[in-house]
């Protein structure tokens, strides 16, 4: 076990903690179930780790593209590259573009190597949209949206553990007036608004 103090401000002096006479280490970053978590709640480190993992396939695809059929290269992409991208994307996929943009560029580069796209005056001869159509793949932002819609469907169908049901609460339980496109509310945001307004907490 590890201890982590979450705060965007400088970390204060933290007390030593023991469990069964064993000191528990304070950490600033930790990998939990494949997700790199930092005490600043930034997923830049996790995204950089994904980039590092999939970068090695750039040379592999480049060298294999003339000797291996496209169908096999495509299968390699979906089998060995895409799983790294999809892992916990529901959590880190909403990170700022300054971080996800780097991964998007790396994915584009991998696909260009796989397709053997030529460059003229430093620009690829195949546009990005056509490239993804040839691959039958989705862009990074669309992968995130699909996985979030899938999660939303599971929540609405009650297919997730009860703990996750708190993520979606109908607005009708808090007020009766009409609001545009607000069928559900995010409890953390609403609770903060309620707290500032002196309204009793629901969670």
């Amino acid at each position: 076990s590890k201890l982590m103090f979450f705060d965007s401000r400088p970390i204060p002096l933290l007390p030593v903690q023991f469990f069964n006479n064993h000191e528990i280490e304070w950490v600033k970053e930790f990998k939990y179930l494949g997700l790199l978590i930092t005490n600043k709640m930034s997923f830049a480190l996790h995204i950089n780790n994904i980039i590092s993992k999939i970068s090695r396939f750039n040379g592999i695809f480049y060298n294999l593209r003339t000797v291996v059929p496209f169908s096999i290269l495509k299968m390699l992409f979906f089998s060995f590259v895409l799983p790294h991208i999809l892992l916990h994307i529901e959590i880190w996929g909403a990170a700022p573009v300054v971080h996800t943009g780097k991964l998007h560029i790396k994915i584009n580069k991998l696909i260009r190597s796989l397709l053997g796209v030529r460059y003229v005056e430093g620009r690829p001869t195949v546009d990005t949209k056509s490239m993804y159509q040839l691959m039958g793949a989705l862009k990074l932002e669309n992968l995130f949206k699909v996985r979030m819609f899938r999660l939303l469907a599971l929540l609405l169908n009650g297919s997730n553990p009860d703990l996750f049901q708190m993520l979606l609460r109908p607005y009708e339980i808090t007020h009766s007036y009409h609001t545009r496109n607000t069928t559900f509310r995010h409890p953390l945001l609403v609770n903060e608004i309620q707290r500032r307004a002196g309204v009793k907490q629901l969670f």
Side-chain angles (χ1 to χ4, degrees), residues 16-189:
V16 178
Q17 299 289 337
F18 290 89
F19 182 77
N20 285 344
N21 296 322
H22 292 282
E23 182 179 349
I24 305 178
E25 180 187 9
W26 286 98
V27 295
K28 294 182 178 180
E29 58 191 53
F30 188 71
K31 179 179 285 189
Y32 182 71
L33 298 178
L35 179 69
L36 276 170
I37 304 172
T38 69
N39 65 324
K40 304 297 184 184
M41 288 305 294
S42 168
F43 294 110
L45 185 64
H46 181 81
I47 293 172
N48 288 337
N49 187 55
I50 297 174
I51 293 173
S52 177
K53 286 182 177 180
I54 68 176
S55 291
R56 64 179 182 271
F57 290 97
N58 191 63
I60 294 174
F61 289 150
Y62 183 83
N63 292 326
L64 290 179
R65 74 186 194 283
T66 57
V67 295
V68 175
F70 171 70
S71 59
I72 301 298
L73 290 174
K74 184 177 176 180
M75 182 182 68
L76 291 174
F77 176 85
F78 283 100
S79 300
F80 294 101
V81 176
L82 195 60
H84 290 297
I85 300 168
L86 291 178
L87 183 63
H88 303 309
I89 193 174
E90 297 89 344
I91 300 175
W92 60 262
V97 178
V98 66
H99 303 309
T100 58
K102 297 177 183 178
L103 177 57
H104 183 65
I105 291 172
K106 175 56 65 175
I107 296 170
N108 289 348
K109 186 175 181 179
L110 282 174
I111 295 177
R112 291 190 186 103
S113 294
L114 189 153
L115 294 173
V117 174
R118 295 181 296 104
Y119 287 78
V120 175
E121 296 181 354
R123 295 186 176 183
T125 53
V126 179
D127 64 275
T128 304
K129 181 179 179 181
S130 299
M131 187 172 68
Y132 278 88
Q133 288 177 341
L134 288 171
M135 285 292 296
L138 295 174
K139 292 183 179 181
L140 181 62
E141 60 268 27
N142 291 330
L143 287 173
F144 171 63
K145 291 177 182 178
V146 168
R147 293 299 286 261
M148 290 303 294
F149 278 123
R150 177 177 177 271
L151 177 61
L152 178 62
L154 290 173
L155 289 170
L156 292 175
N157 291 328
S159 302
N160 277 315
D162 292 339
L163 176 64
F164 288 92
Q165 298 309 317
M166 68 170 289
L167 295 176
L168 291 179
R169 294 294 295 270
Y171 264 93
E172 286 72 19
I173 67 171
T174 57
H175 58 70
S176 59
Y177 53 84
H178 174 72
T179 52
R180 184 180 60 182
N181 298 327
T182 52
T183 306
F184 297 98
R185 66 194 188 98
H186 189 293
L188 298 181
L189 175 60

